[in-house]
CSV table of all heavy atoms in Angstrom, one decimal:
chain,number,residue,atom,x,y,z
A,1030,ASP,N,0.8,-1.2,0.0
A,1030,ASP,CA,0.0,0.0,0.0
A,1030,ASP,C,0.9,1.3,0.0
A,1030,ASP,O,1.8,1.3,0.7
A,1030,ASP,CB,-0.9,0.0,1.2
A,1030,ASP,CG,-2.0,-1.1,1.1
A,1030,ASP,OD1,-2.6,-1.2,0.0
A,1030,ASP,OD2,-2.2,-1.7,2.1
A,1031,ARG,N,0.5,2.2,-0.8
A,1031,ARG,CA,1.1,3.5,-0.8
A,1031,ARG,C,0.9,4.2,0.5
A,1031,ARG,O,-0.2,4.1,1.1
A,1031,ARG,CB,0.6,4.4,-2.0
A,1031,ARG,CG,1.1,3.9,-3.3
A,1031,ARG,CD,0.8,4.9,-4.4
A,1031,ARG,NE,0.9,4.3,-5.7
A,1031,ARG,CZ,0.1,4.6,-6.7
A,1031,ARG,NH1,-0.9,5.4,-6.6
A,1031,ARG,NH2,0.3,4.0,-7.9
A,1032,ASP,N,1.8,5.1,0.9
A,1032,ASP,CA,1.7,5.9,2.1
A,1032,ASP,C,0.4,6.8,2.0
A,1032,ASP,O,-0.3,7.0,3.0
A,1032,ASP,CB,2.9,6.8,2.3
A,1032,ASP,CG,4.2,6.0,2.5
A,1032,ASP,OD1,4.1,4.8,2.9
A,1032,ASP,OD2,5.3,6.5,2.3
A,1033,ARG,N,0.2,7.3,0.9
A,1033,ARG,CA,-1.0,8.2,0.7
A,1033,ARG,C,-2.3,7.5,0.7
A,1033,ARG,O,-3.4,8.1,0.6
A,1033,ARG,CB,-0.8,9.1,-0.5
A,1033,ARG,CG,0.5,9.9,-0.6
A,1033,ARG,CD,0.6,10.8,-1.8
A,1033,ARG,NE,0.4,10.0,-3.1
A,1033,ARG,CZ,1.4,9.4,-3.6
A,1033,ARG,NH1,2.6,9.3,-3.1
A,1033,ARG,NH2,1.2,8.7,-4.8
A,1034,GLY,N,-2.2,6.1,0.6
A,1034,GLY,CA,-3.5,5.4,0.6
A,1034,GLY,C,-4.2,5.3,-0.8
A,1034,GLY,O,-5.3,4.8,-0.9
A,1035,ASP,N,-3.6,5.9,-1.8
A,1035,ASP,CA,-4.2,5.8,-3.1
A,1035,ASP,C,-3.6,4.7,-4.0
A,1035,ASP,O,-2.8,5.0,-4.9
A,1035,ASP,CB,-4.1,7.2,-3.8
A,1035,ASP,CG,-2.7,7.6,-4.0
A,1035,ASP,OD1,-1.8,7.0,-3.4
A,1035,ASP,OD2,-2.4,8.6,-4.8
A,1036,GLY,N,-4.0,3.5,-3.7
A,1036,GLY,CA,-3.5,2.4,-4.5
A,1036,GLY,C,-2.3,1.8,-4.0
A,1036,GLY,O,-2.0,1.9,-2.8
A,1037,TYR,N,-1.6,1.1,-4.8
A,1037,TYR,CA,-0.4,0.3,-4.3
A,1037,TYR,C,0.7,0.3,-5.3
A,1037,TYR,O,0.6,0.7,-6.5
A,1037,TYR,CB,-0.8,-1.1,-3.9
A,1037,TYR,CG,-1.3,-1.9,-5.1
A,1037,TYR,CD1,-0.5,-2.7,-5.8
A,1037,TYR,CD2,-2.7,-2.0,-5.4
A,1037,TYR,CE1,-0.9,-3.5,-6.9
A,1037,TYR,CE2,-3.2,-2.7,-6.4
A,1037,TYR,CZ,-2.3,-3.5,-7.2
A,1037,TYR,OH,-2.7,-4.3,-8.2
A,1038,TYR,N,1.9,-0.1,-4.9
A,1038,TYR,CA,3.1,-0.2,-5.7
A,1038,TYR,C,3.5,-1.7,-5.6
A,1038,TYR,O,3.0,-2.4,-4.8
A,1038,TYR,CB,4.2,0.8,-5.4
A,1038,TYR,CG,4.7,0.6,-3.9
A,1038,TYR,CD1,5.9,-0.1,-3.7
A,1038,TYR,CD2,4.1,1.3,-2.9
A,1038,TYR,CE1,6.3,-0.2,-2.4
A,1038,TYR,CE2,4.5,1.2,-1.6
A,1038,TYR,CZ,5.7,0.4,-1.3
A,1038,TYR,OH,6.2,0.3,-0.1
A,1039,MET,N,4.5,-2.1,-6.3
A,1039,MET,CA,5.0,-3.5,-6.2
A,1039,MET,C,6.4,-3.4,-5.4
A,1039,MET,O,7.2,-2.6,-5.7
A,1039,MET,CB,5.3,-4.1,-7.6
A,1039,MET,CG,4.0,-4.3,-8.3
A,1039,MET,SD,2.8,-5.4,-7.5
A,1039,MET,CE,3.3,-7.0,-8.0
A,1040,ALA,N,6.5,-4.4,-4.5
A,1040,ALA,CA,7.7,-4.3,-3.7
A,1040,ALA,C,8.2,-5.7,-3.3
A,1040,ALA,O,7.5,-6.7,-3.4
A,1040,ALA,CB,7.3,-3.6,-2.3
A,1041,VAL,N,9.5,-5.7,-3.0
A,1041,VAL,CA,10.1,-6.9,-2.5
A,1041,VAL,C,10.8,-6.5,-1.1
A,1041,VAL,O,11.7,-5.7,-1.1
A,1041,VAL,CB,11.2,-7.5,-3.4
A,1041,VAL,CG1,12.0,-8.6,-2.8
A,1041,VAL,CG2,10.7,-7.8,-4.8
A,1042,PRO,N,10.2,-7.1,0.0
A,1042,PRO,CA,10.9,-6.8,1.3
A,1042,PRO,C,12.3,-7.4,1.4
A,1042,PRO,O,12.5,-8.4,0.8
A,1042,PRO,CB,9.9,-7.4,2.3
A,1042,PRO,CG,8.7,-7.8,1.5
A,1042,PRO,CD,9.1,-7.9,0.1
A,1043,ALA,N,13.1,-6.7,2.1
A,1043,ALA,CA,14.5,-7.1,2.2
A,1043,ALA,C,14.7,-8.5,2.7
A,1043,ALA,O,15.7,-9.2,2.4
A,1043,ALA,CB,15.3,-6.1,3.0
A,1044,PHE,N,13.8,-9.0,3.6
A,1044,PHE,CA,14.0,-10.3,4.2
A,1044,PHE,C,13.6,-11.5,3.4
A,1044,PHE,O,13.7,-12.6,3.8
A,1044,PHE,CB,13.3,-10.3,5.6
A,1044,PHE,CG,11.9,-10.0,5.5
A,1044,PHE,CD1,11.0,-10.9,5.1
A,1044,PHE,CD2,11.4,-8.7,5.8
A,1044,PHE,CE1,9.6,-10.6,5.1
A,1044,PHE,CE2,10.1,-8.4,5.7
A,1044,PHE,CZ,9.2,-9.4,5.4
A,1045,VAL,N,13.0,-11.3,2.2
A,1045,VAL,CA,12.5,-12.4,1.4
A,1045,VAL,C,13.6,-13.1,0.8
A,1045,VAL,O,14.5,-12.5,0.2
A,1045,VAL,CB,11.5,-11.8,0.3
A,1045,VAL,CG1,11.2,-12.9,-0.7
A,1045,VAL,CG2,10.2,-11.4,1.0
A,1046,GLY,N,13.6,-14.4,0.9
A,1046,GLY,CA,14.6,-15.2,0.2
A,1046,GLY,C,16.0,-15.2,0.8
A,1046,GLY,O,16.2,-14.7,1.9
A,1047,HIS,N,17.0,-15.7,0.1
A,1047,HIS,CA,18.4,-15.8,0.5
A,1047,HIS,C,19.2,-14.8,-0.3
A,1047,HIS,O,18.8,-14.4,-1.4
A,1047,HIS,CB,19.0,-17.2,0.3
A,1047,HIS,CG,18.2,-18.2,1.0
A,1047,HIS,ND1,18.2,-18.4,2.4
A,1047,HIS,CD2,17.3,-19.1,0.6
A,1047,HIS,CE1,17.4,-19.3,2.8
A,1047,HIS,NE2,16.9,-19.8,1.7
A,1048,LYS,N,20.4,-14.4,0.2
A,1048,LYS,CA,21.3,-13.5,-0.6
A,1048,LYS,C,21.4,-14.1,-2.0
A,1048,LYS,O,21.6,-15.2,-2.2
A,1048,LYS,CB,22.6,-13.5,0.1
A,1048,LYS,CG,23.5,-12.5,-0.4
A,1048,LYS,CD,24.8,-12.3,0.4
A,1048,LYS,CE,25.7,-11.2,-0.2
A,1048,LYS,NZ,26.8,-11.8,-0.8
A,1049,LYS,N,21.4,-13.1,-3.0
A,1049,LYS,CA,21.5,-13.4,-4.4
A,1049,LYS,C,20.3,-14.0,-5.1
A,1049,LYS,O,20.3,-14.2,-6.3
A,1049,LYS,CB,22.7,-14.3,-4.7
A,1049,LYS,CG,24.1,-13.8,-4.3
A,1049,LYS,CD,24.6,-12.8,-5.3
A,1049,LYS,CE,26.0,-12.4,-5.0
A,1049,LYS,NZ,26.4,-11.1,-5.6
A,1050,ASP,N,19.2,-14.3,-4.3
A,1050,ASP,CA,18.0,-14.8,-4.9
A,1050,ASP,C,17.4,-13.6,-5.8
A,1050,ASP,O,17.6,-12.5,-5.5
A,1050,ASP,CB,17.0,-15.1,-3.8
A,1050,ASP,CG,17.1,-16.6,-3.3
A,1050,ASP,OD1,18.1,-17.2,-3.8
A,1050,ASP,OD2,16.3,-17.0,-2.5
A,1051,MET,N,16.7,-14.0,-6.8
A,1051,MET,CA,16.1,-13.1,-7.7
A,1051,MET,C,14.6,-13.2,-7.8
A,1051,MET,O,14.1,-14.3,-7.7
A,1051,MET,CB,16.6,-13.4,-9.2
A,1051,MET,CG,18.1,-13.5,-9.3
A,1051,MET,SD,18.8,-11.9,-9.5
A,1051,MET,CE,20.4,-12.3,-9.9
A,1052,GLY,N,14.0,-12.0,-8.0
A,1052,GLY,CA,12.5,-12.0,-8.3
A,1052,GLY,C,12.3,-11.1,-9.5
A,1052,GLY,O,12.9,-10.0,-9.6
A,1053,ARG,N,11.6,-11.6,-10.5
A,1053,ARG,CA,11.4,-10.8,-11.7
A,1053,ARG,C,9.9,-10.6,-12.0
A,1053,ARG,O,9.1,-11.5,-11.9
A,1053,ARG,CB,12.0,-11.6,-12.9
A,1053,ARG,CG,13.5,-11.5,-12.9
A,1053,ARG,CD,14.1,-12.2,-14.1
A,1053,ARG,NE,14.1,-13.7,-14.0
A,1053,ARG,CZ,15.0,-14.4,-13.4
A,1053,ARG,NH1,16.1,-13.8,-12.8
A,1053,ARG,NH2,14.9,-15.7,-13.3
A,1054,LEU,N,9.7,-9.3,-12.4
A,1054,LEU,CA,8.3,-8.9,-12.7
A,1054,LEU,C,8.4,-8.4,-14.2
A,1054,LEU,O,9.2,-7.5,-14.5
A,1054,LEU,CB,7.9,-7.8,-11.8
A,1054,LEU,CG,6.5,-7.3,-11.8
A,1054,LEU,CD1,5.5,-8.4,-11.5
A,1054,LEU,CD2,6.3,-6.1,-10.9
A,1055,LYS,N,7.6,-9.0,-15.0
A,1055,LYS,CA,7.7,-8.7,-16.4
A,1055,LYS,C,6.5,-8.0,-16.9
A,1055,LYS,O,5.4,-8.3,-16.6
A,1055,LYS,CB,7.8,-10.1,-17.2
A,1055,LYS,CG,8.2,-9.9,-18.7
A,1055,LYS,CD,8.4,-11.3,-19.3
A,1055,LYS,CE,9.7,-11.8,-19.1
A,1055,LYS,NZ,10.0,-13.0,-19.9
A,1056,LEU,N,6.8,-6.9,-17.7
A,1056,LEU,CA,5.8,-6.1,-18.3
A,1056,LEU,C,5.7,-6.5,-19.8
A,1056,LEU,O,6.7,-6.3,-20.5
A,1056,LEU,CB,6.1,-4.6,-18.2
A,1056,LEU,CG,5.3,-3.6,-19.0
A,1056,LEU,CD1,3.8,-3.7,-18.6
A,1056,LEU,CD2,5.8,-2.2,-18.8
A,1057,LEU,N,4.6,-7.1,-20.2
A,1057,LEU,CA,4.5,-7.5,-21.6
A,1057,LEU,C,4.0,-6.3,-22.5
A,1057,LEU,O,3.0,-5.6,-22.1
A,1057,LEU,CB,3.5,-8.6,-21.8
A,1057,LEU,CG,3.8,-9.9,-20.9
A,1057,LEU,CD1,2.8,-10.9,-21.1
A,1057,LEU,CD2,5.2,-10.4,-21.3
A,1058,LEU,N,4.8,-6.0,-23.5
A,1058,LEU,CA,4.5,-4.8,-24.4
A,1058,LEU,C,3.9,-5.3,-25.7
A,1058,LEU,O,4.5,-6.2,-26.3
A,1058,LEU,CB,5.7,-4.0,-24.6
A,1058,LEU,CG,6.5,-3.5,-23.4
A,1058,LEU,CD1,7.8,-2.8,-23.8
A,1058,LEU,CD2,5.6,-2.4,-22.7
A,1059,THR,N,2.8,-4.8,-26.0
A,1059,THR,CA,2.2,-5.1,-27.3
A,1059,THR,C,1.9,-3.9,-28.1
A,1059,THR,O,1.9,-2.8,-27.5
A,1059,THR,CB,0.8,-5.9,-27.1
A,1059,THR,OG1,0.0,-5.1,-26.3
A,1059,THR,CG2,1.1,-7.3,-26.5
A,1060,ASP,N,1.8,-4.0,-29.4
A,1060,ASP,CA,1.5,-2.8,-30.2
A,1060,ASP,C,2.5,-1.7,-30.3
A,1060,ASP,O,2.2,-0.6,-30.6
A,1060,ASP,CB,0.1,-2.2,-29.9
A,1060,ASP,CG,-1.0,-3.3,-29.8
A,1060,ASP,OD1,-0.8,-4.3,-30.6
A,1060,ASP,OD2,-1.9,-3.2,-29.1
A,1061,LEU,N,3.8,-2.0,-29.9
A,1061,LEU,CA,4.8,-0.9,-30.1
A,1061,LEU,C,5.1,-0.9,-31.6
A,1061,LEU,O,5.4,-1.9,-32.2
A,1061,LEU,CB,6.0,-1.2,-29.3
A,1061,LEU,CG,5.9,-1.1,-27.8
A,1061,LEU,CD1,7.3,-1.1,-27.1
A,1061,LEU,CD2,5.1,0.1,-27.3
A,1062,LYS,N,5.2,0.3,-32.1
A,1062,LYS,CA,5.5,0.4,-33.6
A,1062,LYS,C,6.9,0.2,-33.8
A,1062,LYS,O,7.8,0.8,-33.1
A,1062,LYS,CB,5.1,1.8,-34.1
A,1062,LYS,CG,3.6,2.1,-34.0
A,1062,LYS,CD,3.3,3.5,-34.5
A,1062,LYS,CE,1.8,3.8,-34.3
A,1062,LYS,NZ,1.4,3.8,-32.9
A,1063,PRO,N,7.3,-0.5,-34.9
A,1063,PRO,CA,8.7,-0.7,-35.2
A,1063,PRO,C,9.3,0.7,-35.7
A,1063,PRO,O,8.5,1.5,-36.1
A,1063,PRO,CB,8.7,-1.7,-36.4
A,1063,PRO,CG,7.3,-2.2,-36.6
A,1063,PRO,CD,6.4,-1.3,-35.7
A,1064,LYS,N,10.6,0.8,-35.6
A,1064,LYS,CA,11.3,2.0,-36.0
A,1064,LYS,C,10.8,3.2,-35.3
A,1064,LYS,O,10.6,4.3,-36.0
A,1064,LYS,CB,11.3,2.1,-37.5
A,1064,LYS,CG,11.9,1.0,-38.3
A,1064,LYS,CD,12.2,1.3,-39.7
A,1064,LYS,CE,13.0,0.3,-40.4
A,1064,LYS,NZ,12.6,-1.1,-40.3
A,1065,SER,N,10.5,3.1,-34.1
A,1065,SER,CA,10.1,4.3,-33.3
A,1065,SER,C,10.7,4.3,-31.9
A,1065,SER,O,11.2,3.2,-31.5
A,1065,SER,CB,8.6,4.4,-33.2
A,1065,SER,OG,8.0,3.2,-32.9
A,1066,SER,N,10.7,5.4,-31.3
A,1066,SER,CA,11.3,5.5,-29.9
A,1066,SER,C,10.2,5.6,-28.9
A,1066,SER,O,9.2,6.3,-29.1
A,1066,SER,CB,12.2,6.8,-29.9
A,1066,SER,OG,13.2,6.7,-30.8
A,1067,TYR,N,10.6,5.1,-27.7
A,1067,TYR,CA,9.7,5.2,-26.6
A,1067,TYR,C,10.5,5.5,-25.4
A,1067,TYR,O,11.7,5.2,-25.3
A,1067,TYR,CB,8.9,3.8,-26.3
A,1067,TYR,CG,7.9,3.5,-27.4
A,1067,TYR,CD1,8.3,2.8,-28.5
A,1067,TYR,CD2,6.6,4.0,-27.3
A,1067,TYR,CE1,7.4,2.5,-29.5
A,1067,TYR,CE2,5.7,3.7,-28.3
A,1067,TYR,CZ,6.1,3.0,-29.4
A,1067,TYR,OH,5.2,2.7,-30.4
A,1068,CYS,N,9.9,6.0,-24.3
A,1068,CYS,CA,10.6,6.2,-23.1
A,1068,CYS,C,9.8,5.5,-22.0
A,1068,CYS,O,8.6,5.8,-21.8
A,1068,CYS,CB,10.7,7.7,-22.8
A,1068,CYS,SG,11.5,8.1,-21.2
A,1069,LEU,N,10.5,4.7,-21.2
A,1069,LEU,CA,9.9,4.0,-20.1
A,1069,LEU,C,10.3,4.9,-18.8
A,1069,LEU,O,11.5,5.0,-18.6
A,1069,LEU,CB,10.4,2.6,-19.9
A,1069,LEU,CG,9.8,1.8,-18.8
A,1069,LEU,CD1,8.4,1.3,-19.2
A,1069,LEU,CD2,10.6,0.6,-18.5
A,1070,ILE,N,9.3,5.4,-18.1
A,1070,ILE,CA,9.5,6.2,-16.9
A,1070,ILE,C,8.9,5.5,-15.7
A,1070,ILE,O,7.8,5.0,-15.8
A,1070,ILE,CB,8.9,7.6,-17.1
A,1070,ILE,CG1,9.4,8.3,-18.4
A,1070,ILE,CG2,9.2,8.5,-15.9
A,1070,ILE,CD1,8.7,9.6,-18.7
A,1071,PHE,N,9.7,5.4,-14.7
A,1071,PHE,CA,9.1,4.7,-13.5
A,1071,PHE,C,9.7,5.3,-12.2
A,1071,PHE,O,10.7,6.0,-12.2
A,1071,PHE,CB,9.5,3.2,-13.6
A,1071,PHE,CG,11.0,2.9,-13.7
A,1071,PHE,CD1,11.7,2.6,-12.6
A,1071,PHE,CD2,11.6,3.0,-15.0
A,1071,PHE,CE1,13.1,2.4,-12.7
A,1071,PHE,CE2,12.9,2.7,-15.1
A,1071,PHE,CZ,13.7,2.4,-14.0
A,1072,SER,N,9.0,5.1,-11.1
A,1072,SER,CA,9.5,5.4,-9.8
A,1072,SER,C,10.1,4.2,-9.2
A,1072,SER,O,9.6,3.1,-9.3
A,1072,SER,CB,8.3,5.9,-8.9
A,1072,SER,OG,7.7,7.0,-9.5
A,1073,TYR,N,11.1,4.4,-8.4
A,1073,TYR,CA,11.7,3.3,-7.7
A,1073,TYR,C,12.3,3.7,-6.4
A,1073,TYR,O,12.6,4.9,-6.2
A,1073,TYR,CB,12.9,2.6,-8.6
A,1073,TYR,CG,14.1,3.5,-8.7
A,1073,TYR,CD1,15.2,3.4,-7.9
A,1073,TYR,CD2,14.1,4.5,-9.7
A,1073,TYR,CE1,16.3,4.2,-8.0
A,1073,TYR,CE2,15.3,5.3,-9.9
A,1073,TYR,CZ,16.3,5.1,-9.0
A,1073,TYR,OH,17.4,5.9,-9.1
A,1074,ARG,N,12.5,2.7,-5.5
A,1074,ARG,CA,13.0,3.0,-4.2
A,1074,ARG,C,13.8,1.8,-3.7
A,1074,ARG,O,13.3,0.7,-3.8
A,1074,ARG,CB,11.9,3.3,-3.2
A,1074,ARG,CG,12.4,3.7,-1.8
A,1074,ARG,CD,11.2,4.2,-1.0
A,1074,ARG,NE,10.4,3.1,-0.5
A,1074,ARG,CZ,9.5,3.2,0.5
A,1074,ARG,NH1,9.4,4.4,1.1
A,1074,ARG,NH2,8.8,2.2,0.8
A,1075,LEU,N,15.0,2.1,-3.2
A,1075,LEU,CA,15.8,1.1,-2.6
A,1075,LEU,C,16.0,1.6,-1.1
A,1075,LEU,O,16.8,2.5,-0.9
A,1075,LEU,CB,17.2,0.9,-3.3
A,1075,LEU,CG,17.1,0.4,-4.7
A,1075,LEU,CD1,18.1,1.0,-5.6
A,1075,LEU,CD2,17.3,-1.1,-4.7
A,1076,ALA,N,15.2,1.0,-0.2
A,1076,ALA,CA,15.2,1.5,1.2
A,1076,ALA,C,15.9,0.4,2.0
A,1076,ALA,O,15.6,-0.8,1.9
A,1076,ALA,CB,13.8,1.7,1.6
């Protein structure tokens, strides 16, 4: 849950798994036009 209470974000708590374990979240992109540019903008936090 977001601090402001308006929805949520995706997170991995520090205590999950063992050192070097990986978690992957994949965004499937469809309908991107060939030979064009896009910008992926995102918020992130390493706390």
Side-chain angles (χ1 to χ4, degrees):
D1030 290 317
R1031 287 191 196 140
D1032 297 338
R1033 300 182 306 277
D1035 58 346
Y1037 62 92
Y1038 61 97
M1039 294 302 275
V1041 176
F1044 55 79
V1045 167
H1047 302 287
K1048 188 170 179 256
K1049 300 280 188 203
D1050 275 3
M1051 306 279 188
R1053 285 184 285 274
L1054 189 62
K1055 190 177 276 191
L1056 170 59
L1057 302 179
L1058 300 173
T1059 51
D1060 306 331
L1061 292 194
K1062 295 179 186 63
K1064 298 194 170 51
S1065 47
S1066 299
Y1067 293 88
C1068 181
L1069 183 76
I1070 304 172
F1071 56 96
S1072 301
Y1073 69 94
R1074 182 169 75 163
L1075 293 143

